[in-house]
Amino acid sequence: MRRTTATAPGAAPMSAAAGEVYPQSAPAVAPPEQQPAETAQRDQLRTEFPFELPRGYVDDSGTVHRDGVMRLSTARDELVPLRDVRVQENPAYLSVVLLGRVITRLGTLAMVHDGIVENMFASDLAFLQDFYRQINAEGHTRAAVRCPHCSEPFEVELGGSRLGES
């Protein structure tokens, strides 16, 4: 293991152990104005995703709300519900509380919260759970493998089976 000492900007860093000089590397990514448009679009992080519920949430006045937006989940979104008494008493309630935190818009409702989610039809809840997994996994829960017998390649799912688990 080599240790390097701090150097002035633009100067070549020196190894503290052997006194060897190493050239500085160029920046890994060009500034956005020098990147091709295709690369710049790919590097932008998308944090909100539109969806349409299969049946729709029916509010107290009978209005059906189907179009919505879900944002990416944070670690806090997955940790805070674990302190909720309802989740501690019934772990299945985790998905309701979690979805109430990450759905940012649903139809013309002024606010979306876990009370809205718990009054949705079961098919809409299942849809939202699957949608949550899709947008938060981004392919990281699948792995390419090869059959040891026939050498045929295929993919396997590595993620957890319940919302909020991985």
Side-chain angles (χ1 to χ4, degrees), residues 44-75:
Q44 289 180 353
L45 179 62
R46 186 171 169 202
T47 60
E48 292 192 328
F49 301 84
F51 64 83
E52 184 175 314
L53 294 174
R55 295 187 191 261
Y57 169 74
V58 182
D59 66 16
D60 293 336
S61 66
T63 304
V64 178
H65 304 273
R66 294 185 71 197
D67 296 327
V69 175
M70 185 183 294
R71 67 172 172 78
L72 287 177
S73 178
T74 64

Side-chain angles (χ1 to χ4, degrees), residues 57 86 93 96-97 100 113-121 125:
Y57 169 74
R86 298 167 297 181
Y93 206 77
V96 172
V97 178
H113 51 80
D114 53 10
I116 301 287
V117 176
E118 75 181 348
N119 287 310
M120 290 182 173
F121 295 112
L125 179 61

